[in-house]
Amino acid sequence: MPKISEEQRQARRDQILAAAWRCFARNGIHATSMEEIIREAELSAGAVYLYYKGKDELILAAIETYMGDLRGLLLPLLMREKPLPPAAFAREITAAISSHTQRGGLDLNVIILMCWSEAQSNPTVKKLVSGFQLKYREALTHIVRIWQKEGHLSKKGKPDEVGKVLLSFFLGFIVQSALLGRMEPETAAQGIAGLIGVATTRRTSA
């Protein structure tokens, strides 16, 4: 039997996860069976179970993969030595989120809400999700301190409290996109500018 490369294994995992996301988007996480995911992936049951022992493991892998990929997009923006001013920062972060959640005809924002719901009853998922969010909140709090120092924000607010609210803003961006339709990054930028009382130049498409 020919040896399968790690690239081929990863491609097969991605194929299964993509099938799972499509099924979750159509039917919800708990209403989706492994049989449906196997059919959607167009693989044999043996091939799928070779990578994932069951739906619980697949759910965790889907969440971990999605959040890990998103972290890869956001961390370079969050960890800059000199972050962008608030409005431009909001535009950049929400644009990164949008690019990650709109793929292959799927709106992964809807699946994110399902994953957050799963975290309320699944301790493993809750630990995974909250771990990512705490890291984001720490990074945002650090950015708030820089903004206050540079005069972009009032120094009256406590950085940790402002950081928590800022995280809520980005989580709310995901919720609104899932429930009410996609919000444009430019809307997020203008909204932040309005909240903190600064002017911003509206970007236009080239």
Side-chain angles (χ1 to χ4, degrees):
M1 182 179 292
K3 209 170 184 181
I4 299 176
S5 68
E6 183 54 39
E7 289 78 10
Q8 291 172 312
R9 290 191 185 93
Q10 188 57 54
R12 186 57 55 85
R13 292 188 195 100
D14 292 342
Q15 180 181 352
I16 296 167
L17 288 178
W21 282 330
R22 291 194 296 271
C23 290
F24 293 161
R26 285 198 303 266
N27 307 317
I29 289 177
H30 291 291
T32 296
S33 67
M34 280 297 288
E35 289 73 21
E36 289 173 298
I37 295 171
I38 290 165
R39 286 197 300 272
E40 184 72 24
E42 299 181 338
L43 296 170
S44 68
V48 173
Y49 282 108
L50 179 65
Y51 293 95
Y52 302 104
K53 296 177 182 177
K55 196 171 80 169
D56 286 345
E57 185 174 310
L58 186 51
I59 289 171
L60 188 62
I63 296 171
E64 189 169 18
T65 299
Y66 167 82
M67 299 193 76
D69 290 347
L70 181 59
R71 179 180 61 184
L73 288 176
L74 296 181
L75 277 185
L77 310 180
L78 293 168
M79 304 305 292
R80 278 197 185 111
E81 186 175 344
K82 185 176 175 59
L84 293 175
F89 178 78
R91 181 189 294 117
E92 186 176 53
I93 293 294
T94 52
I97 293 172
S98 292
S99 71
H100 189 60
T101 54
Q102 306 295 323
R103 60 167 77 173
L106 280 181
D107 182 0
L108 293 184
N109 289 301
V110 175
I111 298 175
I112 296 171
L113 297 195
M114 296 180 193
C115 295
W116 289 348
S117 176
E118 181 71 13
Q120 305 314 303
S121 58
N122 186 323
T124 303
V125 174
K126 183 173 184 177
K127 182 178 179 180
L128 177 66
V129 171
S130 61
F132 278 97
Q133 301 305 331
L134 286 171
K135 291 293 185 184
Y136 292 145
R137 195 168 75 185
E138 289 172 7
L140 290 170
T141 298
H142 176 67
I143 289 170
V144 168
R145 290 193 178 97
I146 295 174
W147 285 342
Q148 289 179 328
K149 184 177 180 181
E150 294 183 345
H152 295 301
L153 289 181
S154 167
K155 294 183 179 179
K156 293 180 180 178
K158 294 181 179 178
D160 60 330
E161 294 178 348
V162 179
K164 289 176 182 178
V165 172
L166 195 54
L167 176 62
S168 297
F169 174 84
F170 291 119
L171 297 181
F173 174 83
I174 292 171
V175 173
Q176 284 202 63
S177 297
L179 298 180
L180 303 178
R182 183 184 176 194
M183 183 196 300
E184 293 298 328
E186 184 59 40
T187 300
Q190 296 293 331
I192 282 288
L195 282 173
I196 65 176
V198 299
T200 182
T201 301
R202 192 178 287 270
R203 281 191 178 179
T204 57
S205 300

